[in-house]
């Protein structure tokens, strides 16, 4: 691999290989039939090179089937190619039985050598599968690919097919031409030949140039519903077919004529031509911050420097790298989180600290506050008490209108329009419309990208909204989760170093290119996505309530084991993925697994990684390794690059916090002011984040709590790892009621008459702030505002000390850097 900065993408030389796979035989296969021997066949699946599975013939009634069938595949040298060989027992009248699947990394096959592999399927019965592999370079197939070290974007080409259409009267019946290029963005397209439109029509297919794909063309009669009712013929009757191998065509060949017999008239003429596609990608590949965020930070830096000098009463100005980066982190918690974040931001404003903040990250309910505030480009420069009063009106009003017949009709109309705009309407979108109804006056036309206006001069902190990409079904959140961040500039998946413009979220991408532009969704739809409190599956619910994953591991997790033999291990230089055997669970377990993992009310988004592939050395990339935390990371074929859609859910279903975006090294965050709006476990998210970051090698302070600290919670915790200055200082403010019971303001005791005002119930079953309550009384709302502001103001000195520590570290680090540069220059 080229030695380059992990923050950029680059060009890499690549080759195409011809892979030959010879399925020879299997031995001692017992199968699932009790009264007969199995009827075996083998399927080959290689998603990085094949659009469909290939299949051997079926050998009937044999425990030792012999196939000796050979398959030829074209693979890419820089892509992680994992071949899956599955053994099936064919049944007549019922679904075939899937017995085993072997997952084999083709990096194990040396170039220009023949390798025989014997895969042990069952040690007890000595069941084995014998397969032979051969890999050779295709001459004159040297290419370049675009990559960031984790993702690879091969060359894309566009196939233009121009069809000469016949006059309407030339056909006795309606006739259409069906064109298919498997593996292309378009897949299939149809042209009605007997229409009154122009005499020529052109369609385009976009597909990977290196795939050995083909175009199939068929001429079909099209019947009306009346014809089908009174005819014995099928609905689409094929008149003729032809197939064109596209691997034989190059962009320099010019137009190629293809004729398709039309029976009733002269042969149908088609002219096909291959064109290169522009190399410029619409998906940004790289782990660095985008240019717009860098520009914002340079402007925000001066605002922060002035605010810190004033707050800390410094004599000298802070300049350049001396200026610490301060971030606010807010957890989820429905209307409780939404209300409390208003209050905390107002408290920061009153203290003169709001202008010291560069980032605000939120999850779930706290994102509802953020998205509302950023409708005003000058929100942090205005008195936030007015925003609190507006929020109060919405939180305390009745929500019955949200569920009225009139509103339900409105929701239906909006979802229909969203479908026309290219969205995939779901319950998540309906929930977003309901949030809009509960906490907004009328229809909100704003979009996330509109918030760029609030960042143009660095006048406000940069908002970051956090979600998680999960599997829609069959996989628990514990086994698969990927952080997805939203900013007014970009939407990105942290693990892959891939981002798109926020304006393009919801549009369709293929191989890094924007293929079909859809309108950016209104902000309410994103609010439903970020704060969807209904998208848990049963396994997630079990984990959140017990913090134990043994139930999943014991009962329904797939049976997977390493079956590499010593000879494979010795030559595994180009591959890192072990050869694994997957044994499907029984019928009962599959049903039970489906019940536990299904997310019936989740929504799906277009996957902007579609058509990209994992680099053969993706596992070596430092940034990928940082965010690799899912069991599926060892199965490249099951990762997001090969998924049609993203399934984005509330980040709180793993850790109810929004720390991950703030821990990206490029953001250089020194202090995180953490606002935790959890009722019963106010320190859980800190402990979970600490465990997660320790496992992933991400800088985060140690969280070690005594039993006494677990029982009696403080208003603020200072988590500071003196031994690791790469870890930010975290000031954690849980939602607790401690000294507020006796003090109405810091240092001001309550009178006996005022003691009742300090009785704010933020624990227990009967708290008015429980998660699914979206309507508070005015008294409960006011008490929550006063409590959260008090807790913040009462710990002003802790915040001051942390800021001074961050400034001191920054200055020391800057001085060390300057000293090293001076010594280097002197040596030179």
């Amino acid at each position: 691999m080229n030695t380059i900065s992990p923050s950029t993408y680059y060009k890499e030389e690549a080759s195409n290989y011809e892979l030959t796979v010879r399925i020879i035989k299997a031995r001692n296969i017992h199968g699932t039939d009790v009264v007969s021997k199995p009827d075996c066949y083998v399927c080959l699946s290689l998603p990085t090179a094949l659009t469909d599975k290939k299949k051997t013939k079926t050998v009937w009634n044999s425990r030792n089937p012999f196939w000796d069938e050979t398959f030829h595949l074209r693979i890419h040298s820089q892509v992680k190619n994992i071949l899956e060989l599955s053994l099936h027992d064919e049944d007549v009248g019922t679904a075939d039985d899937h017995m085993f699947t072997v997952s084999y990394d083709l990096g194990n096959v040396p170039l220009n050598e023949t390798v025989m592999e014997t895969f042990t399927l069952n040690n007890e019965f000595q069941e084995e599968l014998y397969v032979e592999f051969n890999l050779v370079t295709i001459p004159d197939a040297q290419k370049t690919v675009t990559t960031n070290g984790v993702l690879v974007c091969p060359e894309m080409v566009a196939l233009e097919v121009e069809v000469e259409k016949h006059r309407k009267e030339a056909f006795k019946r309606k006739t259409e031409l069906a064109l298919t290029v498997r593996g292309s963005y378009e897949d299939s397209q149809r042209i009605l030949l007997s229409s009154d439109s122009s005499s020529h029509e052109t369609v385009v297919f976009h597909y990977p140039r290196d795939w050995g794909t083909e175009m199939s063309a068929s001429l079909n009669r099209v019947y009306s519903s009346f014809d089908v009712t009174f005819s014995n013929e099928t609905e689409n009757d094929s008149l003729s077919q032809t197939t064109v191998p596209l691997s034989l065509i190059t962009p320099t060949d010019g137009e190629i004529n293809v004729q398709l017999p039309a029976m009733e008239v002269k042969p149908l003429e088609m002219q096909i031509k291959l064109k290169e596609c522009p190399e410029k990608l619409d998906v940004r590949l790289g782990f660095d911050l985008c240019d717009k965020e860098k520009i914002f930070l340079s402007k925000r830096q001066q605002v922060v420097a002035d605010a810190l000098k004033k707050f800390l009463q410094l004599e000298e100005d802070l300049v350049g790298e001396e200026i610490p980066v301060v971030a606010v982190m807010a957890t989820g918690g429905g209307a409780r989180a939404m209300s409390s974040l208003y209050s905390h931001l107002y408290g920061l404003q009153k203290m003169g600290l709001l202008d010291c903040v560069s980032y605000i990250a939120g999850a779930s309910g706290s994102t509802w506050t953020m998205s509302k505030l950023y409708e005003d480009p000058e929100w942090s420069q205005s008195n936030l008490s007015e925003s609190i009063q507006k929020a109060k009106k919405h939180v305390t009003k009745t929500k019955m209108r949200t569920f009225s017949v009139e509103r339900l009709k409105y929701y239906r109309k909006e979802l229909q329009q969203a479908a026309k705009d290219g969205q995939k309407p779901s319950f998540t979108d309906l929930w977003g419309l309901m949030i809009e109804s509960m906490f907004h006056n009328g229809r909100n036309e704003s979009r996330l990208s509109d918030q760029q206006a609030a960042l143009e001069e660095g006048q406000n902190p940069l908002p970051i909204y956090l979600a998680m990409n999960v599997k829609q079904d069959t996989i628990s959140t514990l086994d698969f989760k990927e952080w997805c961040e939203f900013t007014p500039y970009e939407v990105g998946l942290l693990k892959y170093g891939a981002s798109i413009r926020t304006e393009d979220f919801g549009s369709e991408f293929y191989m890094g290119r924007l293929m079909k532009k859809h309108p950016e969704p209104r902000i309410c739809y994103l609010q439903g996505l970020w704060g969807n409190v209904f998208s848990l599956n049963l396994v997630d619910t079990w984990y959140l309530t017990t913090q134990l994953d043994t139930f999943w591991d014991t009962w329904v997790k797939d049976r997977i084991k390493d079956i590499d033999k010593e000879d494979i291990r010795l030559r595994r230089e180009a591959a890192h993925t072990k050869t694994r055997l997957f044994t499907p669970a029984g019928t009962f377990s599959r049903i039970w697994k489906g019940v536990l993992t299904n997310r019936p009310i989740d929504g799906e988004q277009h996957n902007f990684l579609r058509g990209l592939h994992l680099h053969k050395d993706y596992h070596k990339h430092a940034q990928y390794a940082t965010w690799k935390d899912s069991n599926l990371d060892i199965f490249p074929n099951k990762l997001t690059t090969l998924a049609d859609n993203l399934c984005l859910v509330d980040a709180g279903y793993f850790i109810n916090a929004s720390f991950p975006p703030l821990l990206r090294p490029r953001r250089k965050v020194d202090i995180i002011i953490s606002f935790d709006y959890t009722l019963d476990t106010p320190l859980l998210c800190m402990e979970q984040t600490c465990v997660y970051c320790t496992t992933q090698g991400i800088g985060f302070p140690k969280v070690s709590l005594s039993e006494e600290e677990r029982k009696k919670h403080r208003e603020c915790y200072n988590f500071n790892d003196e031994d690791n200055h790469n870890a930010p200082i975290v000031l954690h403010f849980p939602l607790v009621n401690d000294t507020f019971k006796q003090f109405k303001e810091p240092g001001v005791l309550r009178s006996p008459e005022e003691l009742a005002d300090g009785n704010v119930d933020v624990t227990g079953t009967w708290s008015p702030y429980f998660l699914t309550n979206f309507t508070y009384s005015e008294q409960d709302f006011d008490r929550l505002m006063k409590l959260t502001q008090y807790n913040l103001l009462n710990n002003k000195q802790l915040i001051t000390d942390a800021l001074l520590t961050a400034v001191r570290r920054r200055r020391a680090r800057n001085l060390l850097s300057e000293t090293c540069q001076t010594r280097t220059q002197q040596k030179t």
Side-chain angles (χ1 to χ4, degrees):
M1 182 186 294
N2 298 351
T3 303
I4 81 157
S5 167
S7 65
T8 59
Y9 67 88
Y10 52 97
K11 293 289 184 180
E12 200 169 64
E13 293 296 322
S15 300
N16 285 337
Y17 297 147
E18 180 76 20
L19 172 70
T20 302
V21 182
R22 181 178 166 224
I23 308 297
I24 303 174
K25 64 180 180 179
R27 189 168 69 91
N28 299 327
I29 305 300
H30 281 65
T32 57
D33 293 335
V34 178
V35 296
S36 65
K37 297 177 182 178
D39 309 310
C40 296
Y41 65 88
V42 176
C43 285
L44 292 78
S45 175
L46 183 59
T48 52
L50 287 175
T51 55
D52 295 309
K53 293 182 179 180
K54 291 185 178 291
K55 176 180 174 294
T56 67
K57 64 177 182 282
T58 299
V59 176
W60 300 94
N61 196 34
S62 174
R63 297 194 187 278
N64 300 291
F66 182 80
W67 295 283
D68 195 21
E69 292 189 44
T70 300
F71 301 88
H72 298 279
L73 312 173
R74 176 182 288 200
I75 66 173
H76 200 287
S77 65
Q78 299 307 100
V79 167
K80 173 57 70 175
N81 295 294
I82 305 295
L83 177 66
E84 294 180 358
L85 302 167
S86 55
L87 183 64
H88 301 260
D89 181 3
E90 184 167 340
D91 291 325
V92 178
T94 60
D96 295 349
D97 294 319
H98 177 195
M99 294 184 287
F100 304 100
T101 292
V102 173
S103 177
Y104 181 72
D105 192 334
L106 293 174
N108 288 313
V109 182
L111 196 60
N112 299 321
E113 290 185 26
T114 298
V115 174
M116 170 71 77
E117 301 284 19
T118 302
F119 301 114
T120 302
L121 308 177
N122 187 311
N123 282 317
E124 181 182 356
F125 299 113
Q126 293 186 320
E127 294 176 291
E128 294 177 327
L129 176 66
Y130 296 81
V131 184
E132 184 182 86
F133 298 92
N134 182 261
L135 194 66
V136 297
T137 303
I138 298 176
D140 302 322
Q142 200 71 13
K143 310 288 182 185
T144 60
V145 294
T146 302
T147 179
N148 65 351
V150 173
L151 297 175
V152 172
C153 181
E155 292 180 317
M156 176 193 276
V157 289
L159 180 72
E160 292 186 357
V161 184
E162 184 178 356
V163 179
E164 179 185 350
K165 297 170 66 176
H166 292 267
R167 297 189 308 274
K168 186 174 183 179
E169 59 270 18
F171 292 96
K172 296 178 181 178
R173 297 180 184 270
K174 285 186 178 180
T175 307
E176 70 174 12
L177 174 66
L179 298 171
T180 301
V181 178
R182 300 304 303 273
S184 68
Y185 164 73
E186 295 81 4
D187 190 52
S188 296
Q189 300 189 69
R190 297 175 182 274
I191 300 174
L192 190 60
L193 299 174
S194 52
S195 66
D196 293 322
S197 56
S198 60
S199 60
H200 291 77
E201 188 166 341
T202 301
V203 295
V204 181
F205 292 92
H206 299 83
Y207 65 95
R209 180 176 180 176
D210 300 324
W211 276 28
T213 189
E214 60 187 20
M215 181 187 76
S216 62
S218 63
L219 205 57
N220 305 320
R221 283 182 178 148
V222 182
Y223 294 89
S224 66
S225 58
F226 180 84
D227 292 333
V228 173
T229 303
F230 294 98
S231 173
N232 291 325
E233 298 180 82
T234 58
E235 184 175 351
N236 287 287
D237 192 7
S238 180
L239 302 175
S240 61
Q241 296 180 343
T242 190
T243 299
V244 180
L246 299 180
S247 59
L248 304 178
I249 306 173
T250 66
T252 59
D253 289 338
E255 285 191 348
I256 298 176
N257 293 319
V258 177
Q259 289 189 343
L260 184 63
M263 295 181 65
E264 298 171 342
V265 293
K266 66 179 182 179
L268 184 66
E269 297 282 347
M270 293 184 292
Q271 289 79 42
I272 62 176
K273 180 170 57 177
L274 207 59
K275 286 188 174 182
E276 301 277 6
C277 290
E279 292 186 356
K280 183 179 180 299
L281 301 183
D282 299 302
V283 174
R284 186 175 71 87
L285 299 181
F287 292 88
D288 202 357
L289 306 180
C290 70
D291 291 339
K292 287 186 176 181
E293 183 172 340
K294 292 178 182 178
I295 294 171
F296 159 80
L297 288 173
S298 67
K299 295 179 179 179
R300 184 65 180 174
Q301 195 175 52
Q302 189 55 52
V303 176
V304 170
D306 294 341
L308 281 173
K309 182 181 179 182
K310 182 178 180 181
F311 181 82
L312 297 175
Q313 299 180 353
L314 301 176
E315 295 182 0
E316 299 180 355
D317 292 340
L318 293 171
V319 294
E321 290 299 313
E322 294 180 346
I323 306 171
V325 177
V326 181
V328 166
M329 191 291 301
T331 69
R336 178 181 67 246
M338 183 191 77
S339 305
S340 298
L341 183 55
Y342 275 114
S343 179
H344 274 137
L345 293 176
Y346 181 42
L348 291 175
Q349 188 181 59
K350 289 197 295 185
M351 295 167 64
L353 270 171
L354 191 52
D355 281 343
C356 301
V357 176
S358 295
Y359 293 102
I360 298 178
S364 196
S366 59
T367 65
W368 305 347
T369 299
M370 295 163 58
S371 54
K372 179 60 180 176
L373 286 174
Y374 279 87
E375 291 177 16
D376 177 8
E378 305 295 332
W379 71 266
S380 67
Q381 310 307 312
S382 306
N383 191 328
L384 287 181
S385 62
E386 297 179 7
S387 296
I388 290 178
Q389 290 306 310
K390 292 178 182 178
K392 179 179 178 179
K393 291 180 181 179
H394 291 299
V395 175
T396 58
K397 73 182 181 183
T398 179
K399 304 300 188 297
M400 292 303 296
R401 184 173 177 271
T402 301
F403 306 97
S404 67
V405 174
E406 176 190 358
R407 295 304 293 176
L408 293 176
K409 290 180 180 178
Y410 168 76
Y411 301 152
R412 180 179 180 182
K413 180 180 178 182
E414 287 296 300
L415 293 176
Q416 288 174 340
Q417 183 59 49
K420 292 179 181 178
D421 290 341
Q423 290 179 232
K424 299 182 176 183
S426 65
F427 182 86
T428 300
D429 299 308
L430 175 60
W431 173 235
L433 291 169
M434 295 170 70
I435 294 172
E436 179 184 59
S437 176
M438 289 189 287
F439 302 120
H440 201 279
N441 288 324
R443 178 185 167 91
N444 184 1
E445 294 289 351
S446 69
R447 289 165 169 76
L448 180 56
S449 62
D450 296 337
Q451 297 179 15
Q452 294 181 28
L455 308 172
E456 286 182 350
E457 303 303 324
Q459 69 269 39
N460 300 298
L462 175 69
I464 306 175
Y465 307 86
L466 186 63
M468 274 195 317
N469 180 43
V470 298
K471 293 293 184 184
Q472 207 279 332
D473 52 21
T474 72
I475 300 294
S476 75
T477 302
L478 294 175
D479 282 351
F480 184 82
K481 55 196 173 293
E482 297 174 335
W483 302 112
C484 182
E485 68 170 40
F486 292 73
T487 76
Y489 299 132
E490 285 190 331
V491 178
L493 289 163
L494 272 59
K495 185 163 73 177
Y496 301 101
S499 308
I500 58 172
R501 297 190 318 151
T502 300
E503 296 91 328
D504 296 331
F505 180 72
S507 296
E508 297 179 39
F509 288 79
Y510 187 67
M511 295 183 67
R513 279 84 167 182
L514 177 61
M515 304 301 295
K516 190 172 184 180
K517 174 67 176 165
H518 296 306
E520 181 185 353
R522 295 193 294 117
I523 195 72
C524 69
Y525 293 115
L526 297 184
Q527 290 174 331
L529 183 158
W530 298 326
N532 185 358
V533 296
F534 303 105
S535 58
L536 281 175
N537 59 32
L538 293 180
V539 172
D540 296 339
T541 305
W542 172 270
Y543 173 72
L544 289 175
T545 54
T546 67
Q547 295 300 304
L548 298 173
D549 57 0
T550 53
F551 176 80
W552 169 255
D553 290 332
T554 302
W555 292 100
V556 290
K557 202 166 186 178
D558 294 331
R559 290 171 289 169
I560 301 170
K561 67 176 182 179
D562 174 14
I563 59 169
D564 272 343
K565 296 184 178 179
E566 189 61 30
D567 60 329
I568 298 181
R569 295 190 180 99
L570 291 175
R571 57 180 151 85
R572 187 188 289 140
E573 295 179 0
H576 83 283
T577 304
K578 297 177 181 179
T579 306
R580 289 183 169 87
L581 176 69
F582 165 75
T583 306
T587 302
F588 176 77
S589 294
R590 288 199 301 271
I591 295 173
W592 187 226
K593 178 180 178 181
V595 171
L596 292 174
T597 61
N598 187 39
R599 303 175 192 271
I601 52 179
D602 273 335
E604 294 182 320
Q605 309 290 331
H606 295 292
N607 180 14
F608 56 85
L609 299 190
R610 186 177 165 226
L612 301 176
H613 295 297
L614 290 171
H615 192 279
K616 65 181 180 65
D617 295 322
Y618 75 95
H619 64 292
K620 297 179 182 178
H621 198 286
Q623 291 297 319
Y624 182 88
T626 297
W627 302 108
K628 184 184 75 170
D629 67 293
S630 298
N631 288 348
L632 287 193
D633 286 313
I634 62 176
F635 299 101
N637 287 358
K638 296 186 181 297
L639 292 179
T640 303
T641 52
L642 294 174
D644 290 331
N645 300 292
L646 302 176
C647 183
L648 298 175
V649 301
D650 191 325
Y653 296 143
F654 176 51
I655 300 176
N656 185 26
S658 51
F659 283 114
L662 303 177
L663 302 177
R664 289 177 59 180
R666 301 284 172 173
R667 290 201 166 115
K668 303 178 181 178
V669 175
D670 300 280
I671 295 177
I672 299 177
I673 301 175
S674 168
F675 296 132
D676 190 338
Y677 303 127
T678 308
L679 282 185
D680 300 319
T681 53
L683 291 169
L684 179 62
C685 78
M686 283 297 302
E687 294 180 293
Q688 289 178 321
T689 303
C690 179
V691 171
Y692 175 84
C693 291
T694 301
T695 304
Q696 304 306 120
I698 301 170
F700 197 78
K702 296 177 182 177
V703 179
S704 179
L705 301 170
S706 66
E707 286 302 316
E708 182 62 27
E709 288 175 315
R710 293 178 187 276
K711 293 177 182 178
K712 182 174 175 56
H713 300 122
R714 301 201 302 263
E715 296 164 350
C716 180
Y717 295 82
N718 184 346
F719 296 105
N720 180 14
D721 193 343
E722 291 287 354
D723 298 328
N724 182 10
H725 290 182
N726 291 323
I729 299 170
V730 178
L731 300 173
H732 187 67
F733 289 85
L735 190 59
V736 297
N737 186 4
D738 187 12
T739 61
F740 183 68
K741 296 175 182 178
Q742 290 80 39
F743 294 86
K744 62 180 180 180
E745 293 178 15
V748 181
L749 280 168
R750 295 184 183 277
S751 65
E753 295 78 17
E754 295 171 326
L755 288 176
D757 294 333
N759 186 21
V760 186
D761 184 7
V762 289
T763 60
T765 306
W766 306 111
S767 171
Y769 310 110
F770 61 91
L771 181 63
T772 55
N773 182 24
F774 298 102
T775 305
Y776 300 160
S777 68
E778 291 191 7
Q779 185 182 52
D780 287 335
F781 182 88
D782 291 339
R783 284 179 174 178
L784 184 62
M785 296 300 98
K786 291 176 182 178
L787 169 66
T788 47
Q789 289 176 41
Y790 169 86
N791 285 351
L792 187 63
L793 294 170
N794 198 42
N795 290 278
K796 181 178 180 180
Q797 190 57 48
L798 270 178
I799 300 174
T800 303
D801 293 343
L803 287 170
L804 288 170
T805 299
V807 170
R808 185 180 70 250
R809 287 181 180 178
R810 280 270 182 168
R811 283 177 167 169
R813 197 181 307 150
N814 193 43
L815 180 61
L816 179 63
S817 177
E818 290 177 352
T819 302
C820 292
Q821 289 179 3
T822 301
R823 290 177 178 175
T824 301
Q825 291 173 356
Q826 290 175 345
K827 289 181 180 179
T828 304

